Amino acid sequence: MKATRREILYAGGIGLLSFTLGGAKVELSPRDAREAGVKPRVLLSNEEETLAALGDRIVPGSRESGVSVYVDHQLAVSFEECMLMIQYLGVAPPFTSFYRSGLSSVNSVARARHGQPFAELTDANAEALIEDMASEKLEDWEGPPQGLFYFVIRNDACDVQYGTQEGFVRLNVPYAAHILPPSEWG
Amino acid sequence: MTLPREKVDVVIVGSGAAGAHFAARLSQAGQRVAVLEAGPEIKTEQMVSSMLWARRLKWKGAPVLETGPEPVGYVFNAGWGVGGASIHHYAVWPRMHENDFRVRSLYGRGLDWPISYADLRPYYDRVQKECGISGDAKAEVWRPAGEPYPMGPVASANQGRIVGKGFESLGMKVAPLPMAIATRTYDGRPSCIWDGWCDAGCPTGALSNALSVHWPKALAAGATLHPNTQVVRVLTESKGTRASGVEVVTAKGERVRIMADAVVLAANTIQNARILLASESSHHPHGLGNASGTLGQFVTSHLAAPIFGLHPDKTNPWFGAFGGQFLNQEHYDQKEKFSGQGAFGSYQWMIAQAVKPNGLLGIAPSRPDIRGAALKRFMERSTEHMITMTGVVEDLPIAENRVTLSQQKDAWGVPLATVQHASSPESLALWKVAVDEGLRVFRAAGADDVWNAPKAPMHIMGGTIMGKGAGDSVANRYGAVHEVPNLVLGGASLFPTSGGVNPTFTIHALASMACDQLT
C-alpha cells in the first residue's frame, strides 16, 4: 500500500522551510507556501508563475510539488548550499540571471506568437513552443541556450516531482535511506 | 585546529584520496604532518540520502572556467570539503593495464609513463588490502597479474544477470565489478546494504574513501587537519630549488605562511596545476615545475558512454551499488582493434548501475525528449524495468588540452583556472564504437527499447604529468617535481595517459609508492 503525502511528511519530518507571512515567521512546506501565497525571494511574481507553468507542462505535477518555490529558494541561498543541477552544467554561479533571462525569453516568444504570456497558452501552443525550445528552433530567443534552458527546467521539475521521498512514493520506489533528508531541499 | 606556527615535516595540500593516503602513511611513520583543505569539514551526518543533498558534496570553491567542445565537467567530478571527491566516488577500482603505461612506445601516439605496470603492481596489491576491494580476480580474465581480492564480489541482482546474458549471447564475458566496497565486515567497516546512494556519500563506512579508511589512521597518528584553509601558492627557498612551505588564506581572510621540510600537493587535478602556475617566481617565471613547458598540459577526461534500455522483466534498477554489478573489458588490451573505424584506445563497461529517479545520471535525464503525460508513464515503467551500463572510454592526451590561468581572480586574488578540452578524433571514434556495442548488447539482452545518452566527461586527469625528466614533464616517477624534489604531487594530475579505467585505485597506488620514498 502506498503511503499518502501527509504520512510521508509526518514520517520523515520533512519539507518545512521558514517564510515570512503577514509579518510573522512561519514554517511551511514548499507546496503549502505556494498555496498560502508566500512571495518569492528572488524571482519576480510573473517569473515564478512562468516557471511553475513551464515546469508543469514538462513534468506534470511539478507545479503542485513546488518547482517554483524550490528554484526560488535555491537562488536565495549561498552557492555552498545550492542544490540546483545547473551547477553541473558548465554555468558559473550566481544562477539568477540564467533563469531570469530564460523565463523572460519564454514569455517574449509566447507573446510574439500568440499575444499571451506562456502561462496562458493553450495546451497545443504551449507544447509547440516547448518542442521548439527543446530542439533549439526558437528564432527570437534571447536567453541562454534554448536546449540547455529546457534541460535545466526539466531537471528542476523532475527533482521536486520524483527526487524527494514523496516522489519516490509516487513511483513506488523504496527510498531506503541511510540518513533521511532533514528537509526536502535545504 | 590552530594552524602550525612552527615548521612541520610535511604540509599536505588537499584531504581527498591522495592527500589522506599521504597523511596516514607519513604520520604513521612518525612525521609531523599538517593537512590543509580548502573546503569545510565533512561529517557523516552530511551524507544525506538524496540526489539533491548530494550536490552539496561537489565542488563549491573558486569557479573553474571551461572551454572547448568536450568540457571536463569540473563541478560534477570534483569534491568539496574533507575527503574531496573520494566522498562521492563510486568505488569502482580496476587496475590500469600494462599497455596503458607504454602507449607511445607501443603505438606511436600519446605518452609513456616513466613506470611500468610491474613497478606499480606491488602497490596495487598493498592498497587493495589496506582499503578492501571486493571482486573475483579469476573471473576477470582481462586483469593484469596481481593478488586476488581480499573480499568476495559485490551483490548481483536481476539487472546484472539480464545484461550479463546480453554480453554472453554475443560471445563476451562479464565478471563481478571490482569495488572498494565491503561485502563483509572488513577492518572494522560494515558490509554494504546495496541501497544505491553512493553518490550522496556513504555514512556507514562500507565504501572505502578518505573518511572511512585513511583519515582515522592519520588523525590517530597525530596528523593535524585544517579545513577552510585555501592554499594560494607554494613557497620556495631563495635559490628556488627547494619548497619551503605554502602560503594560505584562512577562513577569516588572514594570509599565513606554513613552513615545512616537504610539501605534498594533492589538491585535485585542476587545482594542482592552478596552484603551481600561480606559484611563479623569478626562478620559475612560468610557474613552479614548468621548465618543460608542460605544466597544465595533457588534461584528459574519460568519455562516458551511458547505455539505457527497458526490459520486459523486472530489473529493480534502484538496487545495488551506484558503480554497477559487473565488468567487461573485452577489447581493453587491443587499443588498435578498431583502427579501421578511426578509433584508438581502451574502454570498459560498468554494468547494471543502480539508478535513482532524478540526478544527472538518473532515470529522468536519460530521456530529456520525453515530457508531459508520457514522462509519467516512462518514469513508472523505468523504475521497474530499466537496465543501464556505462562505457569508460580512453581519452588520448593532447598538449592543447590544458589548464591556464585566467585574467579573472578569486576572492583572494588568485587567478582562476581555465580548462580547455577537446577530445581527439580517435577518442571520439572509440566512443562511437563503444556506444554501438553497448546498444547491441542491450538488444541481445532482450530489451524492447534501447538508447544512449550523449557523451559526457568522467574523471579528470593530467595537467602535471609524470615523465622521464625535466624536459618532458612536471614530475618524476614518484611524483616529485623535477626542479623542486621536496615538492611531491599526488592525484590523477600525474597521469600521462588516462587508460579506460576509473582512476582512484591508481591514485592510491601512486601515493603508496611515493610514500615509500618519503619514509
Side-chain angles (χ1 to χ4, degrees), chain A residues 5-164:
Chain A
R5 170 181 162 258
R6 290 223 172 270
E7 285 169 338
I8 288 291
L9 289 173
Y10 178 77
I14 59 170
L16 301 184
L17 300 170
S18 291
F19 297 93
T20 301
L21 189 61
K25 275 199 171 182
V26 295
E27 290 197 330
L28 299 170
S29 72
R31 183 201 315 256
D32 292 340
R34 194 173 188 287
E35 290 171 355
V38 172
K39 300 287 186 191
R41 287 190 283 175
V42 174
L43 297 174
L44 303 173
S45 292
N46 70 315
E47 293 170 335
E48 188 195 32
E49 175 54 30
T50 304
L51 174 57
L54 180 60
D56 209 55
R57 291 282 186 188
I58 299 171
V59 182
S62 62
R63 172 198 288 268
E64 189 182 352
S65 296
V67 62
S68 59
V69 177
Y70 165 69
V71 172
D72 182 68
H73 178 76
Q74 299 301 328
L75 294 177
V77 300
S78 70
F79 177 54
E80 285 212 2
E81 294 178 320
C82 180
M83 298 177 177
L84 293 170
M85 192 195 279
I86 189 176
Q87 64 193 284
Y88 293 162
L89 303 176
V91 180
F95 306 122
T96 301
S97 61
F98 178 94
Y99 283 91
R100 184 154 281 157
S101 62
L103 293 169
S104 173
S105 294
V106 166
N107 270 335
S108 295
V109 172
R111 286 197 175 91
R113 285 186 173 189
H114 307 292
Q116 295 174 306
F118 179 84
E120 296 175 18
L121 296 185
T122 64
D123 291 353
N125 289 340
E127 171 54 26
L129 191 155
I130 292 171
E131 171 60 28
D132 287 347
M133 176 170 57
S135 51
E136 305 202 326
K137 292 178 181 170
L138 293 176
E139 293 183 354
D140 297 328
W141 180 267
E142 294 181 347
Q146 300 170 42
L148 177 63
F149 186 70
Y150 166 81
F151 188 72
V152 167
I153 299 299
R154 184 181 182 277
N155 281 313
D156 292 338
C158 284
D159 277 343
V160 298
Q161 183 66 8
Y162 297 118
T164 62

Side-chain angles (χ1 to χ4, degrees), chain B residues 295-318:
Chain B
L295 176 58
Q297 295 184 344
F298 302 108
V299 170
T300 54
S301 180
H302 291 129
L303 287 162
I307 310 293
F308 299 93
L310 294 175
H311 196 274
D313 294 347
K314 275 198 173 186
T315 61
N316 296 335
W318 32 265

